[in-house]
Amino acid sequence: MSVAGGPGAAHAEATLLAFDYGEKRIGVALGNVLAGSARALTVIQNRSRDYRFEAVAALLREWQPDLLVVGLPAHPDGTPHAMTQQAKRFGNQLNGRFNLPVVWVDERYSSVDAEARLRERGERAEHVDAEAACVILQQYLDEHGAPAS
């Protein structure tokens, strides 16, 4: 995975929310640049545009992130597929509605990694979307962690 576009490293104490966008569910993870770690937070049912953005707004009020990270799906060779444009649109809508910076992270294999993590911990697969968002956010943090002081 690699970061695709957007600003560089967030400031040292930034709070981040990451999204693994899907047609049925949107996984959400929370992270902090200073700690350099991410954790699965929740799954939003993608029932409708209004429902989706009301749920996101509630998370933004609660966590007050400085930056949003959106997974950008692609084929294994890196070429875009049907979900690529939907995820980009979702990220653009987040930026437009909430006026927060958005970066995209290549999310190839994030769901596979998430499923493996859940199996290792003996957790149910219903959490895979939030765990995939965690994988995406951890990738961002690993590549753009806290600046050296």
Side-chain angles (χ1 to χ4, degrees):
M1 285 185 264
S2 64
V3 173
H11 65 82
E13 296 178 20
T15 297
L16 309 152
L17 279 181
F19 299 90
D20 177 37
Y21 182 83
E23 291 179 313
K24 295 181 181 175
R25 293 173 303 282
I26 302 167
V28 185
L30 174 69
N32 179 276
V33 173
L34 187 60
S37 64
R39 70 175 176 91
L41 187 61
T42 191
V43 175
I44 298 169
Q45 297 303 314
N46 199 359
R47 296 179 187 153
S48 70
R49 179 179 297 170
D50 288 342
Y51 182 87
R52 169 177 65 229
F53 288 114
E54 285 173 19
V56 169
L59 291 170
L60 297 179
R61 281 191 302 274
E62 181 176 359
W63 297 103
Q64 299 181 7
D66 302 289
L67 179 71
L68 305 178
V69 178
V70 177
L72 192 62
H75 288 293
D77 66 0
T79 58
H81 60 66
M83 285 303 297
T84 308
Q85 190 57 38
Q86 289 183 41
K88 279 198 122 168
R89 182 175 181 207
F90 175 70
N92 287 331
Q93 289 172 334
L94 289 173
N95 174 259
R97 284 174 179 257
F98 302 110
N99 197 30
L100 287 168
V102 174
V103 295
W104 285 267
V105 173
D106 179 346
E107 71 165 46
R108 282 177 286 175
Y109 308 112
S110 62
S111 293
V112 173
D113 290 348
E115 289 169 359
R117 287 181 178 196
L118 292 174
R119 269 195 310 276
E120 286 172 11
R121 295 194 309 249
E123 294 182 24
R124 297 187 312 242
E126 67 191 42
H127 301 124
V128 73
D129 298 296
E131 192 66 29
C134 182
V135 169
I136 291 163
L137 184 50
Q138 192 63 58
Q139 176 69 25
Y140 177 83
L141 290 168
D142 290 348
E143 291 184 17
H144 297 278
S149 44

